[in-house]
Each structure stands twice: as C-alpha cells, then as structure tokens.
Amino acid sequence: MGRPVLLSVDDDPGVSRAVARDLRRRYGEEYRVLRASSGPEALDALRELKLRGDAVVAVLADYRMPEMNGIEFLEKAMDLFPRARRALLTAYADTDAAIAAINVVDVDAYLLKPWDPPEEKLYPVVDQMIEAWRESPDAVVEDVKLVGHRWSAPSFRARDLLARNAVPYRWYSAEEAEGRRMLEAAEATADDVPLIVTPEGVVLKAPTESELAAVVGLSVEAESDFYDLVVVGGGPAGLGAAVYGASEGLRTVLVEREATGGQAGQSSRIENYLGFPNGVSGSQLADRARRQARKFGAELLLTRDCVALEAHGSKRVLRFADGGTIGAHAVVLATGVSYRSLGVPGADGLTGRGVYYGSAMTEAAACKDQKVIIVGGANSAGQAAVFFARYAESVHLLCRGPALEASMSHYLIEQLAAIGNVHVHTCTTVAETHGSDHLEQVTLLDARSGERSTVPAGHLFVFIGGEPRTSWLDGVVVRDDRGFIPTGPGLLGNGRRPHGWALDRDPYFLESSLPGVFVAGDVRAESVKRVASAVGEGAMAVTLVHRYLGER
C-alpha cells in the first residue's frame, strides 16, 4: 500500500496544474497528489487505486466538466471510496449546484476559483478534510472481517453495530466455503459466531458489543472521570447538545449505548429537515454531527449502557452496566425512545432472524425480489417503505388506523402512493409470526372484518409506538405514567414545585425534577417528535446548563 492519495479533477489544464502544484507544496511529503482531466479518467484512476488497496483521503472535483460534471463524478466516486472526503471546485456562485452537492454526494466543502492565496482559501479546507478522514473508522481499521450465520440474531447485531457506526467490514457466511475456511483458520466452530478478524489478525469469538466496538477502533472508555456536561443518548437531541456544549467551552462527553444517530440515524431519507430540500439520509446527518462534535472537542463513548443516576451534592454521577461511573456538573438526558415490541406469538424468538425493529438497512440486499412487510403508520415506517421498495418485489405497509393522514407527513403519503410496488393496508395488524430458524410466514388481522390471513414473508420491520428508555431513572427524576420525563412548567402541578426541589427558583424549561439534569428530544414529555425540534432542544438545553452553572 502506497501513501494515501489526494486527487484533483479538472478539465482546464491550467487549473489542474495549479491545484496539483499547491497541494504538493503543502502535502507532498505525506500524501501522493494525483490529477485527472475528466470524470471518466478519474474513475479509472480510482478503480486502479482500489484494486491496489490504496487509500484515498480527499477528492477535489470541478463542477463544470464535459462528459460528466463534478457532482456526477463525486457520486460515482463514493461507491469506490465512500469515506473519502469530497470538495467541489466552482467558478460560479451556483446555488442549485451547491444544494445538489450537499444532498446527492454529501460534499464536505466548496472552493471558489481562484483560491489565492492558498494559505487562506485552500489549505484550511484541505486540512479539515484530512482531519475528518483520519478520524473516520476506516482510517484506523480498513478491513474488518465478520463471519456469521445468515439467520443469527447475534450476527445481525454485530453487522448492525458496525454499519450504524460507519465501520467498513466484509461479511462472510459461515455456511459458505470462504466463511468455513476462516472459521477453521481461527480454530473456531460454527457456534463461535459472530467471529471477528481485524487486519492485525486479532480474533474475537462471539464478542460483546463493547468488545467489538473497542477492537474496531470505536471509543468506549472515557478520558476523565469528571466533566462539565454529560449527554446521555446519541440521537439528534444528544448530538445537538454535544455540539453546542463543546463549542461553548464545556468539557463534554456523550454516552450512547448503541450508535450515534438514534432512530433518525436509521432513516433512509429525511426530507423535511431544514436546509436539505432534496432530503438527507439519517446516517449522513449523524456522521456530520458526529464529526462536528469531535471537531469542537466532545468525547463520544459508545456501547455504554447507563443503569443509574445519582446526586451527590452538586455532583451528578452516572453508573454504567459494567460498574463504571462518570461524573459531571450537569447532565442532559436525550435517550430517545425504543420501538415497542410487536408482542404477538412467535415474534420474540424471530427477532434478528427476519423480525427487525427499525430499518435494519444491512438487510436491504437480502430483500431483493422478496416480499417485505412494514408495521407502522408514522414517518419512520413511511421512509422505510420508500427505501425497501427499491429492493423488494413488493412492500406491504400495515397501519392499524383507518388512514395514514393522522400520523404521517403529507409528502410521504404522496410518495408512497406514487410507488407501484408499495401497498398500504389500513386497519390491519400482525396477529402472529411463523418460522423455525427464521421468519417464513405472517398472519394478518383485518380489524374491520375480523378475518385472518397468513401470507409468506421473510422480512418484517416494526415501527410501532415509542417507549422511553427511562426505567433506570425510577425514583431519581419524576416520570409520567408512560415513562416520559416532564420538565419546567410540566412539573408545577397546581403552581407547586416538585417534591424535593431545594432551589428558590422554579425549574427551567427543559430541567427535570432534579436540578442540573435537563431533558431534550423524544424522551421529554409533550415533546414534538421531529428531528429539527430535537436538535433545537439539545441546543437550548446547553443554554440552560450555562445558566444553571452560573448559579453555583
């Protein structure tokens, strides 16, 4: 493997030479600087680099090129090197191009030609792209090998953990020849899956999620035992709080038990988020927020499950499932909600083996030419139906209500109506699931007629209700009868402050019944269940944290 590559693409020979010259002057000792005169020529170069196993750090492409413009090229380049950072070169203030670049290829930066002096207009942008690439998982672990069973719940959880945390991996089925050879080489049996092999040759047999996260380079241990702010939960609200907390000078750590992004991170495309008129995938949004939080100095701890919150004077202490603890002056609870269990005969035993909660995008390829059933009537279910319709022969969306309008955004309802292989079934629920080692059939119940029908299905995705992850807070903060956490005015029953409240003031708007513990996003009682509002609450919570810390 050679030095990592910086690639520039421009059909103007003078501009192409200037870009390469400026890049070599600053980065030539550590990186190879390559240039191409067209999109097709650059793609040929990228394919050769891929075959040789070389790494591509960043690609700078001119927008206006013949044959293939910069956006079209960057979109194809993403398929070859998805973690390479991307910049668009343009001599025009082209708003349409900017919007398309953000939404189609998740461009990292724009450079207006000319960029003189490069010390002010070129190098700072490229420095940021290099730093982002270095922090991305594949800069540490380039080729994790995962051996597992197709219909194994632990194997699915391992794949899902890697995919949702943007860790590249190669999947091998234990039922196929190459998978069996890897098991034999690792002196493992089919009962030891999932089997993980790192590029350094480290072998893990049936690892825990924390063990898997640690070996692939994800952060699982805190650098300190005390912080200004601990954020619990890595969805939009938690990421918003981490970005604003760290950017405003608070020593901040975010704790997440699975992967950053939360339920929103599993959405194939969010189309009503401000500033993204063509939509943005949940994973792209989560990746940008994750990088932004790290840029400002926030720590991100993954696969850490909080089991208790304690108050010791002005100190707030979180206790983890493994017995570890972490303390802070203030806490933001942004734990979100979990999809409610389907709760029908057969479903629990088939979870991860045909029955999935959330989008489970790692299953998309396996749905090719299959029948897919999606349960739910809100936006997350609609987005999943649109996504899986690209792969499946047919997608059947089950809604227990008489219409989608009560719970789904209008734009999604229109999209679903326009997709020929999506079928919406109202007043319909799942009564039972069937299968031996994996899902094979689903029994449906029509609430209007009371009739049951059993249909073949290998994939069932569940998006029903939302249960807050707050049982570990029982007795510490006030919760409502559904487990959501009231804050601010919601705590002032009959004008009285909550029991045990020791301060002379009322709780702040997002403050729980325990001073210094704030709540943001879906877990907060009466919150608006939208990505934009969750991000806004995360930011607002940090403002209130500052106010609280100023009282001490």
Side-chain angles (χ1 to χ4, degrees):
M1 183 182 296
R3 288 176 295 164
V5 171
L6 301 175
L7 174 65
S8 68
V9 189
D10 200 304
D11 64 312
D12 185 322
V15 173
S16 180
R17 285 193 297 270
V19 175
R21 178 200 65 216
D22 288 341
L23 291 177
R24 288 193 182 102
R25 189 194 325 167
R26 175 72 170 258
Y27 307 103
E29 291 186 5
E30 189 174 353
Y31 301 94
R32 276 188 299 158
V33 176
L34 305 180
R35 61 189 179 99
S37 60
S38 69
E41 180 185 333
L43 287 175
D44 288 342
L46 288 176
R47 293 187 187 100
E48 184 177 346
L49 292 168
K50 187 74 173 181
L51 290 174
R52 290 165 49 183
D54 290 333
V56 175
V57 178
V59 180
L60 294 79
D62 182 36
Y63 171 56
R64 296 182 180 273
M65 294 188 293
E67 298 182 76
M68 181 186 300
N69 68 35
I71 296 175
E72 294 168 338
F73 161 70
L74 289 174
E75 188 173 12
K76 294 180 181 298
M78 285 175 66
D79 295 334
L80 294 168
F81 290 93
R83 303 300 295 171
R85 311 332 296 178
R86 297 168 288 279
L88 196 66
L89 306 176
T90 179
Y92 306 88
D94 194 330
T95 304
D96 291 338
I99 291 174
I102 288 173
N103 292 287
V104 176
V105 298
D106 193 24
V107 72
D108 294 279
Y110 297 93
L111 288 169
L112 293 177
K113 298 183 288 187
W115 50 82
D116 291 329
E119 289 77 11
E120 295 181 10
K121 298 184 178 180
L122 175 65
Y123 297 153
V125 172
V126 177
D127 287 345
Q128 289 180 1
M129 294 168 69
I130 290 174
E131 181 181 359
W133 177 81
R134 283 175 172 165
E135 291 178 351
S136 62
D138 63 340
V140 178
V141 180
E142 295 175 0
D143 189 13
V144 174
K145 298 179 178 64
L146 169 58
V147 184
H149 293 300
R150 171 68 186 88
W151 298 112
S152 159
S155 297
F156 165 72
R157 287 195 296 271
R159 294 171 63 191
D160 193 54
L161 178 69
L162 296 177
R164 291 181 61 193
N165 284 291
V167 178
Y169 69 93
R170 185 171 300 177
W171 164 260
Y172 297 88
S173 171
E175 287 80 20
E176 297 177 357
E178 186 62 25
R180 290 195 297 269
R181 282 194 289 269
M182 292 188 64
L183 288 173
E184 183 179 354
E187 298 181 343
T189 69
D191 294 329
D192 292 322
V193 299
L195 178 79
I196 307 296
V197 182
T198 72
E200 298 79 17
V202 176
V203 175
L204 291 182
K205 300 176 182 178
T208 65
E209 290 188 345
S210 293
E211 291 171 339
L212 174 56
V215 80
V216 299
L218 300 177
S219 179
V220 297
E221 296 292 340
E223 296 178 5
S224 175
D225 58 2
F226 194 81
Y227 294 81
D228 295 320
L229 174 64
V230 173
V231 179
V232 186
L239 287 167
V243 167
Y244 281 92
S247 68
E248 294 180 14
L250 297 178
R251 188 168 189 199
T252 302
V253 60
L254 182 148
V255 181
E256 166 58 46
R257 71 174 189 171
E258 294 176 355
T260 52
Q263 288 186 2
Q266 295 178 281
S267 295
S268 58
R269 186 150 296 269
I270 303 168
E271 298 194 59
N272 57 354
Y273 189 65
L274 184 67
F276 292 87
N278 293 328
V280 60
S281 74
S283 60
Q284 287 176 330
L285 198 61
D287 179 61
R288 286 183 168 211
R290 182 168 53 238
R291 286 160 42 199
Q292 197 171 15
R294 285 178 173 148
K295 167 189 171 182
F296 289 120
E299 289 181 44
L300 305 181
L301 301 185
L302 300 175
T303 67
R304 303 305 299 269
D305 195 9
C306 295
V307 296
L309 171 63
E310 303 169 358
H312 299 283
S314 62
K315 182 179 181 180
R316 304 291 176 257
V317 176
L318 287 161
R319 192 171 298 280
F320 299 136
D322 62 1
T325 62
I326 193 170
H329 292 304
V331 175
V332 172
L333 299 173
T335 50
V337 295
S338 302
Y339 290 119
R340 194 167 60 244
S341 173
L342 196 56
V344 301
D348 288 348
L350 294 173
T351 300
R353 298 188 292 135
V355 176
Y356 306 97
Y357 290 86
S359 284
M361 293 183 191
T362 53
E363 294 298 306
C367 293
K368 183 174 175 58
D369 300 327
Q370 302 293 313
K371 175 184 289 186
V372 168
I373 295 178
I374 295 174
V375 184
N379 279 10
S380 53
Q383 290 161 354
V386 172
F387 173 73
F388 284 109
R390 305 174 199 166
Y391 303 87
E393 176 187 276
S394 61
V395 175
H396 298 265
L397 180 65
L398 312 184
C399 173
R400 67 178 179 178
L404 293 174
E405 281 76 7
S407 54
M408 188 178 293
S409 294
H410 179 69
Y411 80 89
L412 262 178
I413 296 174
E414 288 189 325
Q415 280 189 21
L416 293 174
I419 301 175
N421 63 336
V422 172
H423 310 278
V424 177
H425 307 265
T426 57
C427 298
T428 305
T429 59
V430 174
E432 192 171 355
T433 62
H434 314 272
S436 51
D437 63 337
H438 63 89
L439 180 68
E440 297 172 359
Q441 294 178 319
V442 175
T443 297
L444 307 180
L445 172 64
D446 188 322
R448 291 163 295 200
S449 65
E451 294 182 359
R452 292 181 174 226
S453 58
T454 299
V455 298
H459 296 84
L460 174 67
F461 300 94
V462 182
F463 300 85
I464 55 174
E467 296 182 336
R469 301 172 176 176
T470 59
S471 59
W472 60 284
L473 296 166
D474 189 29
V476 181
V477 299
V478 171
R479 300 183 299 149
D480 66 17
D481 55 1
R482 296 186 299 157
F484 292 92
I485 305 174
T487 62
L491 292 167
L492 303 178
N494 298 321
R496 297 179 180 178
R497 293 168 182 167
H499 177 72
W501 185 265
L503 303 183
D504 291 335
R505 60 168 176 81
D506 291 343
Y508 293 133
F509 181 69
L510 297 180
E511 195 168 20
S512 72
S513 61
L514 179 60
V517 175
F518 299 83
V519 188
D522 290 358
V523 73
R524 189 176 69 83
E526 307 302 328
S527 65
V528 178
K529 306 300 188 284
R530 289 291 183 267
V531 175
S533 61
V535 173
E537 287 190 9
M540 185 190 302
V542 171
T543 298
L544 299 176
V545 166
H546 276 291
R547 191 180 302 176
Y548 167 77
L549 295 178
E551 300 171 347
R552 301 174 64 254

Coordinates of all heavy atoms in Angstrom, one line a residue, residues 2 110 202 245 247 249 343 362 379 542:
G2 N 0.6 2.2 -0.9 CA 1.4 3.4 -1.0 C 0.8 4.5 -0.1 O 0.0 4.2 0.7
Y110 N -16.7 23.6 -0.4 CA -16.7 24.3 -1.7 C -15.5 25.2 -1.8 O -15.1 25.8 -0.8 CB -17.9 25.2 -1.9 CG -19.2 24.4 -1.9 CD1 -19.9 24.2 -0.7 CD2 -19.7 23.8 -3.0 CE1 -21.1 23.5 -0.6 CE2 -20.9 23.1 -3.0 CZ -21.6 22.9 -1.8 OH -22.7 22.2 -1.8
V202 N -6.2 -9.9 15.0 CA -6.9 -10.1 16.3 C -8.2 -10.8 16.0 O -8.9 -10.5 15.1 CB -7.1 -8.8 17.0 CG1 -7.9 -9.0 18.3 CG2 -5.8 -8.1 17.3
G245 N -22.6 22.2 23.5 CA -21.8 22.2 24.7 C -20.3 22.3 24.5 O -19.7 23.2 25.2
S247 N -18.8 23.4 21.8 CA -18.4 24.6 21.1 C -18.5 25.8 22.0 O -17.8 26.8 21.7 CB -19.4 24.8 19.9 OG -20.7 25.1 20.3
G249 N -17.4 25.8 25.1 CA -16.4 25.7 26.1 C -16.6 24.7 27.3 O -15.7 24.7 28.2
G343 N -45.1 -8.0 20.3 CA -45.9 -8.6 21.3 C -46.9 -9.6 20.8 O -48.0 -9.7 21.3
T362 N -28.9 -3.0 6.8 CA -28.0 -4.1 6.4 C -28.7 -5.2 5.7 O -28.1 -6.1 5.0 CB -27.2 -4.6 7.6 OG1 -28.2 -5.0 8.6 CG2 -26.3 -3.6 8.1
N379 N -43.9 8.5 10.2 CA -42.9 8.9 9.2 C -41.8 7.8 9.1 O -41.4 7.5 7.9 CB -42.3 10.2 9.5 CG -43.2 11.4 9.1 OD1 -44.3 11.2 8.7 ND2 -42.6 12.6 9.1
V542 N -28.3 23.3 26.4 CA -26.9 23.8 26.8 C -27.0 25.2 27.3 O -26.3 25.6 28.3 CB -26.0 23.6 25.6 CG1 -24.7 24.3 25.8 CG2 -25.8 22.2 25.2

